[in-house]
Amino acid sequence: LATIEGVSERDGAEALRGTEIGVPRAALPAIDDDEVYLVDLLGLEVWDGDRKVGVVEGFFEYPSVSCLSVVGDDGVRELPMLDDFVLRTDAVNGRIEAARTDELPVEPKRPSKSR
């Protein structure tokens, strides 16, 4: 939940639907050692053992789980942020250790838009 200065009625809030809202990093609450902000995982390589699965290019928030969008040579996987799939995140070294990625569906990559 959030309040936005100058928006006090539902119609004003509806007018902002689809608007991206950001906050300064310093305004975010501190996190525990075993927590991570999803945005900090963008660009990290995902490895399942000695096999590079791909690179985190986005994330999704579902009601039951957060998932990372991992783009690899063979397509796109949604990697659930669950202990069974994400063993360790290491943002300092740009790496996520994962498991069971071969169980995840692979969607074809979307063609890049060219102008």
Side-chain angles (χ1 to χ4, degrees):
L1 297 173
T3 57
I4 299 174
E5 187 175 328
V7 179
S8 59
E9 297 178 6
R10 183 181 185 106
D11 290 342
E14 284 291 331
L16 295 174
R17 185 179 295 273
T19 301
E20 188 170 319
I21 298 173
V23 296
R25 179 74 182 214
L28 298 175
I31 57 176
D32 291 332
D33 290 339
D34 63 341
E35 296 178 319
V36 65
Y37 283 117
L38 293 176
V39 69
D40 292 338
L41 303 180
L42 294 174
L44 270 60
E45 293 181 347
V46 176
W47 289 80
D48 189 336
D50 60 356
R51 179 176 63 91
K52 181 178 175 183
V53 178
V55 175
V56 177
E57 290 196 359
F59 51 85
F60 302 93
E61 294 279 350
Y62 294 111
S64 60
V65 68
S66 298
C67 289
L68 302 177
S69 177
V70 179
V71 178
D73 291 338
D74 60 345
V76 181
R77 290 174 177 78
E78 289 187 16
L79 178 64
M81 291 293 293
L82 299 171
D83 291 342
D84 286 352
F85 293 96
V86 177
L87 306 177
R88 186 163 98 76
T89 59
D90 184 356
V92 173
N93 293 308
R95 189 173 171 113
I96 295 173
E97 300 294 334
R100 300 174 49 195
T101 58
D102 55 336
E103 298 175 19
L104 302 172
V106 180
E107 298 292 326
K109 292 184 205 177
R110 293 186 198 158
S112 58
K113 296 179 183 178
S114 58
R115 292 185 171 217

